[in-house]
Amino acid sequence: MLWYDYIKKTGKVPEWPYKVEYGKEKVVESDVLVIGGGVAGCRAAIEAARRGASVAVAERGSVKRGGQGGAGVDHWHGAVTNPCSKVTPEMYTQAFIESSKGYTNPSARYIIAKEGWDTLRECEDMGVQIRDEDDIFKGAPFRDEETKLLFAYDYESRNCIRIFGHNIKPVLHKTMLELGVSIYNRVCITSLLTEGGKRGARVIGATGVNTRTGEFCVFKAKAVVISTGRVGRLFNFSPEVNQFSSMLDMNLSGQGFSIGWRAGAEFLMMESVGVRGASENNYVPYSTGNCSNTYFGTPIVDSEGREVPYLKTDGSRVGEYGEIFEPEKPEEGGFYIGVGVGLHQPIAKKYRLPDIDPDIPNKIARGEYKLPLYADFTKMPELERRALFGLMIGNEGKTRVPIYRNYTRWGFDPDKDMLLCPPGEPMNFRGSCWWSGGGKGVLNSMSILGSGYLTDWRLQTTVEGLFVAGGQPVNGSGCHGEAQTTGRYAGRQAAKYSRTAHHAEPDPSQLEAEKERCYAPVRAEGGIGWKELNSAIVRIMEDYCSQHRSENVLKLGIKRMRELMANEGSRAYASNPHELGRLIECFGLADVGEMIMEASLARRGSNSALSFYRTDYPNLDEPEWDCFISIKLGENEAETSKLPLDYYVREPYAPTLQENYSLYGAFDA
Amino acid sequence: MIYSVPNPPSPCKILEFDPEKCTGCNICVETCPLDVMLPNPEKGREPLVLYTEECWACGGCAEECPNDALTLIAPTKQRISAIWIRKSTGEEFRVGMAKVPEPNTRPPLGNRR
Ligand SMILES: Cc1cc2nc3c(=O)[nH]c(=O)nc-3n(C[C@H](O)[C@H](O)[C@H](O)COP(=O)(O)OP(=O)(O)OC[C@H]3O[C@@H](n4cnc5c(N)ncnc54)[C@H](O)[C@@H]3O)c2cc1C
Ligand code: SF4
Ligand code: SF4
């Protein structure tokens, strides 16, 4: 029953159902603390526990179904060492370097490529179905008859695997419980504890607030892994209309960046914010017709039955239907790099597949295609259709229930039906982009992409004892393969580190100051609430940190942000522990906003790979600025420096990917 | 009695409970990563949906409900245009239609429940 209906009926406002004890301390001690129990965090916890460490997981929501990956998974990228793959870890890493013009994280990419298949195989052991055990797809061009593996997108090179992963989180959750991992749900981590309370010193734990009870949690640990996923709520914030179609839930708010920033860790690519395709303000992904990502390969027809062709990268039409799934130049080492792997667009041609006619908007405007368009599943070969709707939509995040279950209950049958692509503006049909989410979203939504912690080959940050996984390292969190593999790897590293590290007592003044900061809002009166504060932060970002930036505007933006937080921010109220959690996240969002604006200030050159434009430095791609900008919080101010794009194979590291992986990663693997 | 209430907090009604089937076990409340629901003050009754606008449609609550008492219903502004058309007859359908057509009973693929 809606709360609204309840008060309308009873005239009574229900009491907060949980016992509230603001500030009451709860102390937890473990070898390894994992912050964020998404898929990356769960894998880190499982791996560390298997290696004998005692592990605590602090999760903002609830581990069993929480996080971006909480609702399921249907395709797994980067499993390049699977027995059928024609791609090597070196090729895979190189594809990312080329496609992103170097603005990626090759060490993490290489780790993912080396260990992705093993990570997936362990999912199978834990209880996720990764093969066509029931022989439903016998004879399909995307099936390997011997291993019964099913491949997605690129049927030639076979490095992305279709899986039946709707139960991924329940399975990981169960394994964690079996291994004795202690799980603390509904705990929003608010800060990292450092030795002696000093910024930049070794990380020795974290603090958190329970968002049901208001309790103050103090986690003491020898090693900490941050795996809090990506950053939302910084642009385009209006959950009343957007949240249902969002790709990020509200718990993904950048708190995981803010805590590391305050602890003195270095970050890269924070300036990487731009207008991107996004699903906000539209439809639940895949609820309407389109041909992108999971719906890749769906035939599109116009209202008079005219088929919209898929074109190769040279503009020629694909012949047979199956050619859609073929990379164009396999002999030159070309293969499809994947969808949703957190890359800047457009990616190098060598690593693309054919795509729907990019000229649709003009053709619609000229009347060549008549709206509405439809996704005509009936035109697909039977097994392709089964794989797409029965397997992928039936198992992927946010589609199993809102699409598969609901649509079929109302009679939808892909064997017989076409799905409408809501008409709107011709521009909405740019590329194969998410038409179900595209529309207005594509045109006006900014988002942060690829930013993250600077890590070494152990996935340790620049602060000792602090490891990161999933969406936290640079260019992280585009997919399960990446998140789970880096999680497993970081867990292994953290467990090893914790064997020689000692427990340190938190600095009492650091704890006191954090408590004061966190609980001020429950005593505040007359200020504004978290939503108003969140919206104001977003306003600043949209006004002062849009696609085209300049020094004077960015400086005004930083000034506004500080002003906002010193005034309205410091007096904002929280009426209950839930609002308190959301408000503390706003404090973190303001930090992330500042990090972005500071990094943008430091990059004094426009950059096409990052879609980064400075109106006061309009020259594109000056060699002097073909580098990373590293940023950290110094004594009081942001400190920035340049870092070469190939830092991961320079001193102190070895000169090749292979050597570094053997040196740092491959211990008792 | 007519009470002074705020405007509905979100234009999206997201969850529908079947009071006949719901036992008030609160499994859905515990599952939800966003704490969208709270236990009903009246024991044994369906939960209260408090933070409507935080629901991001993951479907976890509906999946975990042991009694199939919970439907995750998309906002009307989405349903109204999320339409499919039967090729053979030209008929149009959508979730939430008054006239519920014959359901398609084919389950999603995968042999783990
Ligand atoms: C609809 C949808 C479909 C997708 N389909 C696929 C697919 O088929 N294949 C694929 O490869 N990828 C897919 N992805 C992407 C994939 O789900 C993500 O890349 C992956 O889940 C990221 O994992 P993560 O662990 O880094 O982050 P998340 O899974 O988002 O986990 C982060 C966790 O940290 C918690 N947290 C955040 N802040 C705090 C804090 N301050 N304190 C404590 N905890 C905190 C969050 O609550 C969350 O549980 C999909 C994503 C979506 C949204
Ligand atoms: S669909 Fe997900 S977010 Fe929405 S109420 Fe259910 S569990 Fe919560
Ligand atoms: S899980 Fe199902 S039965 Fe239990 S309270 Fe929720 S809707 Fe009711």
Side-chain angles (χ1 to χ4, degrees):
Chain A
M1 175 190 280
L2 286 176
W3 168 86
Y4 186 79
D5 292 337
Y6 179 86
I7 53 167
K8 238 173 26 185
K9 252 193 211 129
T10 63
K12 279 189 286 194
V13 176
E15 218 178 296
W16 188 250
Y18 310 106
K19 188 174 175 204
V20 177
E21 293 180 291
Y22 285 127
K24 183 182 166 204
E25 270 187 36
K26 172 180 194 138
V27 180
V28 175
E29 205 169 309
S30 62
D31 293 336
V32 175
L33 167 67
V34 176
I35 302 175
V39 289
C42 291
R43 293 308 295 257
I46 289 169
E47 190 63 18
R50 282 186 177 155
R51 284 163 189 273
S54 63
V55 183
V57 174
E59 162 55 40
R60 174 74 178 87
S62 127
V63 168
K64 194 171 180 192
R65 295 266 178 190
Q68 230 200 334
V73 46
D74 68 310
H75 61 269
W76 182 288
H77 282 297
V80 304
T81 59
N82 83 72
C84 312
S85 165
K86 293 183 188 150
V87 177
T88 65
E90 288 71 25
M91 283 162 70
Y92 188 74
T93 309
Q94 186 56 30
F96 275 83
I97 296 173
E98 271 178 46
S99 294
S100 64
K101 302 195 180 118
Y103 291 86
T104 182
N105 185 340
S107 41
R109 279 294 148 209
Y110 193 68
I111 291 164
I112 293 158
K114 288 293 270 190
E115 301 187 4
W117 167 242
D118 299 336
T119 307
L120 176 60
R121 271 275 307 106
E122 281 178 18
C123 284
E124 183 175 33
D125 293 340
M126 288 186 252
V128 176
Q129 186 189 345
I130 71 162
R131 298 170 209 262
D132 181 23
E133 291 160 3
D134 306 317
D135 295 329
I136 291 165
F137 294 102
K138 225 172 178 165
F142 48 85
R143 183 181 198 255
D144 176 65
E145 299 300 327
E146 205 177 307
T147 60
K148 303 192 179 193
L149 289 172
L150 304 172
F151 299 96
Y153 309 118
D154 176 347
Y155 297 171
E156 252 313 293
S157 63
R158 310 201 146 190
N159 64 84
C160 183
I161 301 178
R162 281 178 166 134
I163 63 172
F164 307 76
H166 70 92
N167 61 345
I168 181 74
K169 284 299 299 282
V171 159
L172 296 177
H173 181 242
K174 182 167 159 272
T175 309
M176 284 157 80
L177 295 179
E178 284 164 7
L179 287 166
V181 171
S182 315
I183 297 174
Y184 299 87
N185 284 329
R186 321 286 169 189
V187 174
C188 176
I189 292 296
T190 65
S191 77
L192 292 172
L193 296 167
T194 49
E195 210 157 15
K198 289 201 182 63
R199 180 169 301 149
R202 180 170 75 102
V203 168
I204 53 165
T207 62
V209 168
N210 185 303
T211 58
R212 283 182 171 181
T213 66
E215 245 181 357
F216 188 65
C217 307
V218 178
F219 294 92
K220 302 180 191 173
K222 296 174 181 167
V224 174
V225 179
I226 300 187
S227 43
T228 47
R230 284 171 58 189
V231 181
R233 282 167 60 184
L234 201 49
F235 291 93
N236 208 18
F237 175 75
S238 46
E240 297 79 4
V241 282
N242 283 355
Q243 199 50 27
F244 216 74
S245 52
S246 173
M247 287 296 279
L248 296 176
D249 76 51
M250 291 251 262
N251 294 339
L252 304 174
S253 64
Q255 189 68 13
F257 280 10
S258 162
I259 58 176
W261 169 250
R262 286 175 179 253
E266 280 183 53
F267 290 79
L268 298 185
M269 286 190 22
M270 287 308 300
E271 70 279 26
S272 168
V273 172
V275 178
R276 321 245 184 251
S279 59
E280 274 69 16
N281 200 18
N282 243 299
Y283 295 89
V284 175
Y286 311 109
S287 60
T288 59
N290 72 88
C291 54
S292 168
N293 206 316
T294 294
Y295 277 158
F296 179 76
T298 307
I300 301 292
V301 298
D302 83 350
S303 65
E304 292 176 353
R306 219 172 282 119
E307 193 156 341
V308 182
Y310 280 76
L311 304 179
K312 298 184 182 176
T313 55
D314 66 5
S316 63
R317 279 178 91 119
V318 298
E320 299 275 295
Y321 177 78
E323 277 180 34
I324 297 171
F325 305 100
E326 286 172 14
E328 287 166 44
K329 300 209 163 55
E331 64 288 351
E332 289 171 25
F335 63 92
Y336 182 52
I337 199 165
V339 286
V341 284
L343 278 176
H344 293 267
Q345 302 290 334
I347 50 175
K349 281 189 178 173
K350 193 170 151 187
Y351 303 113
R352 291 191 223 161
L353 284 179
D355 204 351
I356 202 83
D357 183 359
D359 202 29
I360 304 181
N362 289 323
K363 290 183 178 162
I364 293 172
R366 290 199 299 265
E368 285 175 46
Y369 295 130
K370 296 223 168 15
L371 294 179
L373 305 183
Y374 294 91
D376 189 351
F377 303 107
T378 68
K379 282 183 167 352
M380 300 173 82
E382 155 86 19
L383 292 182
E384 294 284 354
R385 188 168 52 236
R386 287 281 276 156
L388 189 136
F389 196 74
L391 195 172
M392 296 178 89
I393 296 295
N395 282 277
E396 193 179 10
K398 290 188 68 160
T399 56
R400 184 178 175 86
V401 171
I403 314 299
Y404 197 99
R405 180 189 287 198
N406 284 359
Y407 279 33
T408 53
R409 282 187 181 179
W410 263 276
F412 176 74
D413 186 345
D415 294 353
K416 300 177 185 155
D417 299 326
M418 305 195 293
L419 204 49
L420 176 96
C421 314
E425 271 300 304
M427 270 312 276
N428 296 357
F429 297 91
R430 262 192 309 190
S432 63
C433 206
W434 307 69
W435 298 341
S436 59
K440 294 168 222 151
V442 167
L443 301 178
N444 68 10
S445 165
M446 299 272 290
S447 63
I448 164 170
L449 184 71
S451 320
Y453 284 84
L454 168 59
T455 53
D456 65 12
W457 271 92
R458 296 187 177 90
L459 293 184
Q460 185 170 220
T461 67
T462 52
V463 175
E464 198 190 327
L466 183 63
F467 297 80
V468 290
Q472 306 307 303
V474 174
N475 248 301
S477 207
C479 67
H480 277 261
E482 179 182 289
Q484 297 201 31
T485 312
T486 54
R488 177 174 171 270
Y489 183 92
R492 177 160 106 227
Q493 296 283 0
K496 182 179 178 193
Y497 173 86
S498 74
R499 260 177 252 139
T500 51
H502 61 276
H503 264 297
E505 273 311 301
D507 178 60
S509 55
Q510 189 176 18
L511 281 179
E512 235 5 82
E514 183 58 11
K515 232 174 160 174
E516 181 50 39
R517 185 180 83 102
C518 289
Y519 294 100
V522 299
R523 297 187 299 268
E525 271 173 39
I528 60 171
W530 74 270
K531 259 194 196 176
E532 191 165 353
L533 186 63
N534 201 144
S535 307
I537 292 169
V538 168
R539 181 87 274 168
I540 292 172
M541 296 309 289
E542 289 176 348
D543 284 353
Y544 298 90
C545 193
S546 59
Q547 182 91 9
H548 290 81
R549 283 160 243 177
S550 65
E551 181 171 326
N552 59 326
V553 173
L554 285 165
K555 282 190 169 158
L556 284 174
I558 293 171
K559 182 168 165 244
R560 301 271 187 276
M561 194 68 90
R562 291 190 181 162
E563 239 172 54
L564 172 72
M565 299 316 287
N567 292 287
E568 284 87 348
S570 71
R571 295 196 304 272
Y573 68 81
S575 321
N576 59 41
H578 183 87
E579 290 188 17
L580 182 60
R582 292 283 173 247
L583 183 58
I584 291 171
E585 288 168 335
C586 291
F587 301 161
L589 281 173
D591 281 347
V592 180
E594 267 201 60
M595 293 163 77
I596 292 171
M597 290 189 277
E598 289 284 3
S600 303
L601 267 177
R603 182 176 286 285
R604 293 192 296 279
S606 296
N607 182 305
S608 61
L610 296 174
S611 315
F612 177 85
Y613 305 104
R614 283 282 298 254
T615 55
D616 43 357
Y617 298 98
N619 287 353
L620 256 190
D621 302 334
E622 303 261 25
E624 182 195 349
W625 291 99
D626 194 17
C627 59
F628 287 117
I629 302 289
S630 150
I631 177 169
K632 70 169 184 180
L633 186 58
E635 204 54 33
N636 287 306
E637 293 293 317
E639 292 171 7
T640 56
S641 55
K642 288 179 170 182
L643 188 73
L645 293 182
D646 61 352
Y647 70 91
Y648 59 93
V649 282
R650 285 186 183 223
E651 288 285 331
Y653 307 119
T656 63
L657 296 167
Q658 293 86 336
E659 285 167 278
N660 284 305
Y661 178 75
S662 335
L663 269 172
Y664 299 101
F667 58 89
D668 74 72
Chain B
M1 178 84 81
I2 294 179
Y3 294 106
S4 316
V5 291
N7 278 323
S10 158
C12 311
K13 180 172 184 179
I14 50 155
L15 296 172
E16 270 178 5
F17 296 89
D18 182 340
E20 299 286 297
K21 291 187 189 163
C22 175
T23 60
C25 69
N26 290 323
I27 289 177
C28 51
V29 177
E30 286 311 309
T31 304
C32 178
L34 286 314
D35 265 332
V36 166
M37 294 160 277
L38 298 179
N40 195 316
E42 222 179 289
K43 292 236 171 340
R45 295 225 28 213
E46 81 233 44
L48 295 188
V49 183
L50 181 56
Y51 298 115
T52 325
E53 75 279 30
E54 296 199 26
C55 172
W56 82 305
C58 70
C61 51
E63 279 266 75
E64 294 281 338
C65 174
N67 304 315
D68 194 13
L70 180 53
T71 305
L72 175 65
I73 193 104
T76 308
K77 70 166 190 142
Q78 297 199 1
R79 275 185 276 135
I80 191 65
S81 198
I83 301 268
W84 57 91
I85 178 167
R86 182 126 311 171
K87 250 186 124 177
S88 56
T89 61
E91 266 179 297
E92 291 193 326
F93 302 96
R94 66 173 172 87
V95 169
M97 278 174 72
K99 176 187 149 220
V100 181
E102 192 64 23
N104 167 5
T105 53
R106 202 171 211 184
L109 288 177
N111 58 24
R112 315 284 153 85
R113 290 289 152 222

